Coordinates of all heavy atoms in Angstrom, one line a residue:
H1 N 163.5 164.9 170.1 CA 163.3 163.6 169.6 C 163.7 163.4 168.1 O 163.7 164.4 167.4 CB 161.9 163.1 169.7 CG 161.4 163.1 171.1 ND1 162.0 162.4 172.1 CD2 160.3 163.6 171.7 CE1 161.4 162.4 173.2 NE2 160.2 163.2 173.0
P2 N 164.1 162.2 167.6 CA 164.3 162.0 166.2 C 163.2 162.6 165.4 O 162.0 162.4 165.6 CB 164.5 160.5 166.1 CG 165.0 160.1 167.4 CD 164.2 161.0 168.4
G3 N 163.7 163.4 164.3 CA 162.6 164.0 163.4 C 162.3 165.4 163.8 O 161.7 166.1 163.1
G4 N 162.8 165.8 165.0 CA 162.5 167.2 165.4 C 163.4 168.2 164.8 O 164.3 167.9 164.0
S5 N 163.3 169.4 165.3 CA 164.0 170.6 164.7 C 164.5 171.4 165.8 O 164.0 171.5 166.9 CB 163.1 171.4 163.8 OG 162.6 170.7 162.7
L6 N 165.7 172.1 165.5 CA 166.3 173.1 166.4 C 166.8 174.2 165.5 O 167.2 173.9 164.4 CB 167.4 172.5 167.2 CG 167.0 171.7 168.4 CD1 168.3 171.0 169.1 CD2 166.3 172.5 169.5
R7 N 167.0 175.4 166.1 CA 167.5 176.5 165.4 C 168.7 177.0 166.2 O 168.4 177.5 167.4 CB 166.6 177.6 165.0 CG 167.3 178.7 164.1 CD 166.2 179.7 163.8 NE 166.8 180.7 162.8 CZ 166.8 180.6 161.5 NH1 166.3 179.6 160.9 NH2 167.3 181.6 160.8
L8 N 170.0 176.9 165.8 CA 171.1 177.4 166.5 C 171.4 178.8 166.1 O 171.3 179.1 164.9 CB 172.3 176.5 166.4 CG 172.1 175.0 166.7 CD1 173.4 174.3 166.5 CD2 171.5 174.7 168.0
S9 N 171.9 179.6 167.0 CA 172.3 180.9 166.7 C 173.7 181.2 167.2 O 174.0 180.7 168.3 CB 171.4 182.0 167.2 OG 171.7 183.3 166.8
C10 N 174.5 181.9 166.5 CA 175.9 182.4 166.9 C 176.0 183.9 166.7 O 175.8 184.3 165.6 CB 176.9 181.6 166.0 SG 178.6 182.2 166.2
A11 N 176.3 184.5 167.8 CA 176.7 185.9 167.8 C 178.1 186.1 167.8 O 178.9 185.5 168.7 CB 176.0 186.5 169.0
A12 N 178.6 186.9 166.9 CA 180.1 187.1 166.7 C 180.4 188.5 166.9 O 179.7 189.5 166.7 CB 180.6 186.6 165.3
S13 N 181.7 188.7 167.4 CA 182.2 190.0 167.6 C 183.7 190.0 167.3 O 184.3 188.9 167.3 CB 181.9 190.5 169.0 OG 182.6 189.8 170.0
G14 N 184.3 191.2 167.1 CA 185.7 191.2 166.9 C 186.2 191.0 165.5 O 187.4 190.8 165.3
I15 N 185.3 191.0 164.6 CA 185.6 190.7 163.1 C 184.8 191.7 162.2 O 183.9 192.3 162.7 CB 185.3 189.2 162.7 CG1 183.8 188.9 163.0 CG2 186.3 188.2 163.4 CD1 183.4 187.6 162.4
I16 N 185.3 191.8 161.1 CA 184.5 192.5 160.0 C 183.5 191.4 159.5 O 183.8 190.7 158.6 CB 185.3 193.1 159.0 CG1 186.4 194.0 159.5 CG2 184.4 194.0 157.9 CD1 185.9 195.1 160.3
F17 N 182.4 191.3 160.1 CA 181.6 190.2 160.0 C 181.0 190.0 158.5 O 181.0 188.9 158.0 CB 180.3 190.2 160.9 CG 179.4 189.0 160.9 CD1 179.7 187.9 161.6 CD2 178.3 189.1 160.1 CE1 178.9 186.8 161.5 CE2 177.5 187.9 160.0 CZ 177.7 186.9 160.7
S18 N 180.7 191.1 157.9 CA 180.1 191.0 156.6 C 181.0 190.5 155.5 O 180.5 190.1 154.5 CB 179.6 192.4 156.2 OG 180.8 193.3 156.0
I19 N 182.3 190.4 155.7 CA 183.2 189.9 154.7 C 183.9 188.7 155.2 O 184.9 188.2 154.6 CB 184.2 191.0 154.2 CG1 185.1 191.5 155.4 CG2 183.5 192.1 153.5 CD1 186.2 192.4 154.9
T20 N 183.5 188.1 156.3 CA 184.1 186.9 156.8 C 183.2 185.6 156.7 O 182.0 185.7 156.9 CB 184.3 187.1 158.4 OG1 185.0 188.3 158.6 CG2 185.0 185.9 159.1
T21 N 184.0 184.6 156.1 CA 183.3 183.3 156.0 C 183.1 182.7 157.4 O 184.0 182.6 158.2 CB 184.1 182.4 155.1 OG1 184.3 182.9 153.8 CG2 183.5 181.0 155.0
M22 N 181.8 182.3 157.7 CA 181.5 181.7 158.9 C 181.0 180.3 158.8 O 180.6 179.9 157.7 CB 180.4 182.6 159.6 CG 180.8 184.0 160.0 SD 182.1 184.1 161.2 CE 181.3 183.3 162.7
A23 N 181.2 179.5 159.7 CA 180.8 178.2 159.8 C 180.3 177.6 161.1 O 180.7 178.1 162.1 CB 182.0 177.3 159.3
W24 N 179.6 176.5 160.9 CA 179.2 175.8 162.0 C 180.0 174.4 162.1 O 180.1 173.8 161.0 CB 177.7 175.4 162.1 CG 176.9 176.6 162.6 CD1 176.2 177.6 161.9 CD2 176.6 176.9 164.0 NE1 175.5 178.3 162.7 CE2 175.7 178.0 164.0 CE3 176.9 176.3 165.2 CZ2 175.3 178.5 165.2 CZ3 176.5 176.8 166.4 CH2 175.7 177.9 166.3
Y25 N 180.5 174.0 163.2 CA 181.1 172.8 163.4 C 180.5 171.9 164.5 O 179.6 172.4 165.2 CB 182.6 173.0 163.8 CG 183.4 173.9 162.9 CD1 183.3 175.3 163.0 CD2 184.4 173.4 162.0 CE1 184.0 176.1 162.1 CE2 185.1 174.1 161.2 CZ 185.0 175.6 161.2 OH 185.8 176.3 160.5
R26 N 180.8 170.7 164.5 CA 180.3 169.8 165.6 C 181.3 168.7 165.9 O 182.1 168.3 165.1 CB 178.9 169.2 165.2 CG 179.0 168.1 164.1 CD 177.6 167.7 163.8 NE 177.6 166.6 162.8 CZ 176.5 166.1 162.2 NH1 175.3 166.5 162.5 NH2 176.7 165.2 161.3
Q27 N 181.2 168.3 167.1 CA 182.1 167.3 167.6 C 181.2 166.2 168.4 O 180.6 166.6 169.5 CB 183.3 167.7 168.4 CG 184.2 166.6 168.9 CD 185.5 167.2 169.4 OE1 185.5 168.3 170.0 NE2 186.5 166.4 169.3
A28 N 181.0 165.0 167.8 CA 180.2 164.0 168.5 C 181.1 163.2 169.4 O 182.4 163.2 169.3 CB 179.6 163.1 167.4
P29 N 180.5 162.5 170.4 CA 181.3 161.7 171.3 C 182.2 160.7 170.5 O 181.8 160.0 169.7 CB 180.3 161.0 172.1 CG 179.1 161.9 172.0 CD 179.1 162.4 170.7
G30 N 183.5 160.7 170.8 CA 184.5 159.8 170.3 C 184.9 160.1 168.9 O 185.6 159.3 168.3
K31 N 184.4 161.3 168.3 CA 184.8 161.6 167.0 C 185.6 162.9 166.9 O 185.5 163.7 167.9 CB 183.6 161.7 166.1 CG 182.8 160.3 166.0 CD 181.6 160.4 165.0 CE 180.9 159.1 164.9 NZ 179.8 159.3 163.9
Q32 N 186.2 163.2 165.8 CA 186.9 164.5 165.5 C 185.8 165.5 165.1 O 184.7 165.3 164.7 CB 187.8 164.3 164.3 CG 189.0 163.3 164.5 CD 189.9 163.7 165.6 OE1 190.3 164.9 165.6 NE2 190.3 162.8 166.4
R33 N 186.2 166.8 165.4 CA 185.4 167.9 165.0 C 185.2 168.0 163.5 O 186.3 167.7 162.8 CB 186.0 169.2 165.7 CG 185.1 170.4 165.3 CD 185.8 171.7 165.9 NE 185.5 171.8 167.3 CZ 186.5 171.6 168.3 NH1 187.8 171.5 167.9 NH2 186.1 171.7 169.6
E34 N 184.1 168.2 163.0 CA 183.9 168.3 161.6 C 183.2 169.6 161.2 O 182.4 170.1 162.1 CB 183.1 167.1 161.1 CG 181.7 167.0 161.6 CD 180.9 165.9 161.0 OE1 181.2 165.5 159.9 OE2 179.9 165.4 161.6
L35 N 183.4 170.0 160.1 CA 182.6 171.2 159.5 C 181.3 170.7 159.1 O 181.2 169.9 158.2 CB 183.5 171.9 158.4 CG 182.9 173.3 158.0 CD1 184.1 174.1 157.5 CD2 181.9 173.0 156.8
V36 N 180.3 171.4 159.6 CA 178.9 171.1 159.1 C 178.4 171.8 158.0 O 177.8 171.3 157.1 CB 178.0 171.2 160.4 CG1 176.5 170.9 160.0 CG2 178.4 170.2 161.5

């Protein structure tokens, strides 16, 4: 519901994770993907 909370998690492999810039993106209906 509006006002609520969620925690998303991303597990990565195949990279040197500790030196890699990571990001979350989102794509809403009818819109372009954006960096969050």
Side-chain angles (χ1 to χ4, degrees):
H1 296 310
S5 297
L6 285 172
R7 188 175 182 90
L8 308 183
S9 186
C10 170
S13 63
I15 58 171
I16 307 299
F17 184 84
S18 62
I19 61 171
T20 301
T21 298
M22 298 296 298
W24 281 96
Y25 304 79
R26 69 184 182 187
Q27 186 167 25
K31 296 185 178 181
Q32 298 292 317
R33 179 178 286 112
E34 65 174 337
L35 189 148
V36 177

